Amino acid sequence: MNRKLVDPFKSVALPEVIEEYLDYGVAKCCAFNRRGTLLATGTEDGYIIIWDFETRGVAKLLNGHSVQALPDDQQQQQQRAAPLAAAVTSLAWSRSGRHLLSGSLDKRVMLWDVLTGELVHEVALSSGVTRVSLSRRKPYTAVASLISTPPVIIDLDSKEVTPLASIDFKASAEKPGQQEMVANHVAGVALLSKSGREVLLGQLRGTITLYDTASQQVLDVVKLPAAVKVMSMCLNRQGSLLLVNCSDKAVRLFELRPRQPDARSYSAEQLKQALEGVEAGRVGSLLHPPEACTLAPCTASFTNAVEKNQWRAVALSGEGEHVAGGIAGKQEHRVYLWSRLYGKLERILEGPRNENIVDLAWHPTRSLLVTLSGNGKVYLWAQVFNENWSAFAPDFQELDENQEYVEAEDEFDINEKPAPPAVDGDAAEDAEVDVVTRERLLVFSSDEEDEGGSEEPLHWLPAEVTLQEEGPGGGQEQRDAAAGEQQEEGSDTSSEGEDAQRGAEELILDKPRDRKRRVRFEDSYATGDSEDDDEEMQPSGPGSARGGRTGSAGGRGRGGRRGRPPRYAGAGAGPGRGPAGGMYGAAAGFGGPGNALNPGAQQQQQSARLQ
């Protein structure tokens, strides 16, 4: 629904907070496919990650820029200085979503098949790539912006590379107050129009040139005020609006009108004659009047008048009603959102501290923004969701206080439903149900949904299931071998447990005041002990014992912590005063000749038992 027809003064829901972040490598660029179901990110080490945006999982991993290809004889000297792994700087999707174009600092442009992950085309260039743009339909034509040389037009099928002639102006020596055109070979920012018939080139000296893609002839030249430098450019989804990030800390908006059939194109000589005697302070189109120009400037301009920030990246929302700009501060992660219709600032998004913005992208169909941080994380900005319970039923009402419910008289009456019309049983069984054909889901308007006979679109990547192959002996033998290994591990575990049990049977009491006193407790595992053993363990000499910290003195304690009494515990004469049922269920008395610590008493007890 068009929001401007409903309420032109009410803003749509804008992103507010960071909902989630994606982390896989150090991301340097990002791009959504046409529906926004897949998100592609390029990393610093040359990888391309395809994210399933619904599940937030990695759907595909493309590895091409991280491995240096073997150069040909003609390109060996050119590619010798290229690094083994270079950052992916820009990505561009085709209309169908089946192909993805990537550009990197390794001086290569690659076209990928997203479904299979195979490399379709690869073209080597003379300089590192900073920005790529791809035509929407086959045959594919690409435009690449380079670091140190002018942008080039690439025919991916034939791998033909054609540089674009840059245009510059200088003061005329013969006519004061006028300028004359000169050719230069400086870098610029270029991108293709939605139709792919035009190329937009933003230059360092404040001009935007519109070229014909097929003939490379000039269609229009637009001059910016104060000869500002063009930092970056982007188009909206419909391709009718151009957003230009300028070096004077302002974001300017232009309207890209459809080219007329009788529009004139200029060669280099014709353009020089047409631009002869151009006024030095002229702004706008230099070849056409304002009502007939192809690239018309809009009155709206977006800037931060208070802090005067420079913008790192800019983007238009999916419906083209809002403009987003990420500041270029080193330690700031802030995004400004303006209304395109009225030019006012509507919201400022504050991100994590001490993190700058590398790139940003707006979701094509949802009010969701993606920003790339300097540390490589991909932040997803979304609106705060509030429950609307009144939407569940037409007569649903939200109550602030509890109310007494009054039951209607016929609320729970049984009302028989009318019987469905009779259908011939044979006809119902013979009817075929089509479960294969899928109806197209129209998300955009009819003019945008027209595929024009192109290939089937790809919105999601299928899940890949990997099955382990069985050995030559079959799966049963492998399972038997695994069961034998588990049994051996179990026997090893049981032997280790017995060793630990024996070690636990020896308790050493080593306090600072009696370091030389050591008592060894031996557990009795026999279940048929008689009282004769207790009589043999009585002390031979007089003495009194105190109940120690481990239990009560005298006799064999039952019900200790371990459930088994020590055999020689509690051998002292007389009842002890220690607490009953100690750690080992008995006491070890200290002192007295009949004590268990007395070596003489122990020898007498052992001799008595032997007799």
Side-chain angles (χ1 to χ4, degrees):
M1 180 182 295
N2 194 339
R3 185 187 61 82
K4 294 184 289 184
L5 299 178
V6 179
D7 188 357
F9 299 100
K10 182 179 179 181
S11 177
V12 297
L14 293 175
E16 297 176 333
V17 296
I18 295 178
E19 180 185 44
E20 194 177 355
Y21 73 89
L22 309 177
D23 191 7
Y24 194 104
V26 181
K28 291 298 182 181
C29 60
C30 64
F32 279 104
N33 67 342
R34 183 168 170 266
R35 289 288 183 90
T37 55
L38 298 176
L39 173 66
T41 58
T43 62
E44 188 179 24
D45 52 358
Y47 287 90
I48 301 172
I49 296 93
I50 309 296
W51 300 86
D52 189 328
F53 201 71
E54 299 298 329
T55 61
R56 306 294 196 268
V58 177
K60 186 78 68 174
L61 183 64
L62 306 177
N63 180 12
H65 294 283
S66 59
V67 179
Q68 181 63 43
L70 295 176
D72 299 332
D73 296 339
Q74 299 178 357
Q75 302 175 357
Q76 187 173 3
Q77 185 176 0
Q78 176 183 345
Q79 297 284 348
R80 188 174 299 169
L84 295 178
V88 179
T89 56
S90 183
L91 298 167
W93 290 84
S94 64
R95 179 184 176 88
S96 63
R98 288 185 171 271
H99 294 90
L100 178 67
L101 183 68
S102 62
S104 174
L105 295 179
D106 62 354
K107 307 177 184 179
R108 290 185 295 171
V109 171
M110 296 183 179
L111 184 67
W112 301 88
D113 189 329
V114 178
L115 182 60
T116 61
E118 297 178 354
L119 180 62
V120 180
H121 296 293
E122 178 183 353
V123 179
L125 302 175
S126 60
S127 179
V129 182
T130 59
R131 173 72 184 268
V132 294
S133 182
L134 182 66
S135 60
R136 302 169 66 84
R137 295 183 177 92
K138 292 182 178 180
Y140 290 125
T141 301
V143 172
S145 304
L146 307 180
I147 294 178
S148 57
T149 56
V152 294
I153 300 177
I154 307 171
D155 188 349
L156 293 176
D157 292 336
S158 62
K159 298 185 179 181
E160 181 182 356
V161 179
T162 304
L164 288 173
S166 301
I167 298 174
D168 199 0
F169 296 90
K170 70 176 183 179
S172 177
E174 299 178 357
K175 300 178 181 180
Q178 296 183 0
Q179 292 180 339
E180 60 182 3
M181 188 195 78
V182 295
N184 59 10
H185 300 280
V186 296
V189 180
L191 74 160
L192 283 168
S193 63
K194 179 182 178 181
S195 62
R197 299 171 54 195
E198 298 87 17
V199 178
L200 297 163
L201 173 60
Q203 300 178 248
L204 301 178
R205 298 296 181 90
T207 58
I208 300 176
T209 309
L210 191 66
Y211 292 90
D212 181 78
T213 306
S215 61
Q216 288 85 43
Q217 292 186 351
V218 177
L219 300 174
D220 199 356
V221 178
V222 178
K223 194 173 183 182
L224 301 177
V228 295
K229 177 182 177 181
V230 177
M231 308 293 292
S232 62
M233 299 188 301
C234 70
L235 289 168
N236 66 337
R237 192 185 70 229
Q238 294 80 9
S240 58
L241 297 175
L242 176 66
L243 201 62
V244 182
N245 180 20
C246 303
S247 60
D248 60 348
K249 304 177 182 179
V251 180
R252 292 177 171 83
L253 188 66
F254 291 85
E255 181 184 359
L256 185 59
R257 300 170 180 173
R259 184 170 54 163
Q260 300 299 326
D262 56 348
R264 181 184 176 184
S265 58
Y266 298 84
S267 62
E269 295 296 333
Q270 294 173 351
L271 183 63
K272 188 174 183 179
Q273 295 177 3
L275 296 178
E276 186 177 356
V278 177
E279 297 178 2
R282 185 174 176 178
V283 177
S285 177
L286 303 181
L287 299 176
H288 306 284
E291 62 275 3
C293 62
T294 306
L295 193 63
C298 300
T299 57
S301 179
F302 311 98
T303 183
N304 185 4
V306 178
E307 299 181 3
K308 303 291 184 180
N309 295 321
Q310 183 63 54
W311 309 105
R312 172 76 66 183
V314 293
L316 279 160
S317 60
E319 71 281 356
E321 296 185 8
H322 290 86
V323 176
I327 63 175
K330 294 182 179 180
Q331 301 296 331
E332 293 179 303
H333 197 102
R334 282 186 295 167
V335 180
Y336 287 71
L337 303 179
W338 295 277
S339 172
R340 182 187 65 84
L341 303 176
Y342 310 106
K344 69 173 184 177
L345 182 65
E346 293 198 356
R347 184 163 296 169
I348 301 177
L349 305 180
E350 297 282 348
R353 296 183 179 180
N354 301 327
E355 295 184 12
N356 61 332
I357 292 179
V358 178
D359 195 7
L360 63 87
W362 207 304
H363 195 277
T365 60
R366 296 164 55 184
S367 180
L368 192 144
L369 195 68
V370 172
T371 59
L372 270 61
S373 175
N375 59 6
K377 292 183 179 179
V378 181
Y379 292 104
L380 310 181
W381 297 81
Q383 60 190 30
V384 178
F385 179 76
N386 297 321
E387 294 286 352
N388 185 13
W389 297 101
S390 60
F392 287 94
D395 55 348
F396 191 91
Q397 297 180 0
E398 296 184 12
L399 303 178
D400 297 333
E401 298 179 357
N402 294 334
Q403 296 182 7
E404 183 179 357
Y405 177 71
V406 179
E407 179 182 339
E409 182 177 357
D410 58 346
E411 181 175 0
F412 297 99
D413 293 348
I414 300 177
N415 299 323
E416 297 183 358
K417 297 182 179 180
V423 180
D424 188 4
D426 297 338
E429 293 179 359
D430 296 340
E432 295 183 359
V433 180
D434 187 6
V435 296
V436 178
T437 304
R438 294 181 300 173
E439 297 183 358
R440 290 183 56 194
L441 179 61
L442 301 180
V443 177
F444 307 110
S445 58
S446 59
D447 57 341
E448 295 182 77
E449 289 291 345
D450 183 18
E451 295 293 339
S454 63
E455 56 186 347
E456 185 69 19
L458 177 66
H459 301 315
W460 294 276
L461 289 176
E464 297 181 359
V465 179
T466 304
L467 299 178
Q468 296 181 357
E469 298 182 358
E470 297 181 355
Q476 185 65 29
E477 295 182 1
Q478 294 181 359
R479 287 191 291 268
D480 295 342
E485 293 178 358
Q486 293 180 359
Q487 187 175 3
E488 293 178 0
E489 292 179 359
S491 61
D492 296 342
T493 306
S494 60
S495 61
E496 293 178 359
E498 293 176 0
D499 296 340
Q501 179 70 17
R502 296 191 191 96
E505 293 174 357
E506 297 183 1
L507 178 64
I508 299 176
L509 302 178
D510 193 5
K511 294 184 179 180
R513 63 173 180 265
D514 50 1
R515 295 181 182 275
K516 296 182 180 180
R517 297 180 179 179
R518 297 183 178 180
V519 181
R520 178 180 180 183
F521 298 97
E522 296 181 0
D523 292 348
S524 175
Y525 296 96
T527 57
D529 294 341
S530 61
E531 295 180 358
D532 297 339
D533 297 337
D534 296 337
E535 294 177 358
E536 294 175 358
M537 293 172 59
Q538 297 298 328
S540 58
S544 62
R546 296 176 56 187
R549 58 178 292 202
T550 58
S552 58
R556 298 173 55 198
R558 304 286 182 180
R561 182 175 178 181
R562 291 183 53 171
R564 295 190 300 269
R567 187 174 182 83
Y568 296 106
R577 292 180 295 174
M583 184 170 68
Y584 276 82
F590 299 120
N595 197 302
L597 295 177
N598 193 338
Q602 292 181 3
Q603 294 178 0
Q604 294 177 3
Q605 292 174 5
Q606 293 178 0
S607 61
R609 291 180 61 185
L610 294 175
Q611 293 176 0

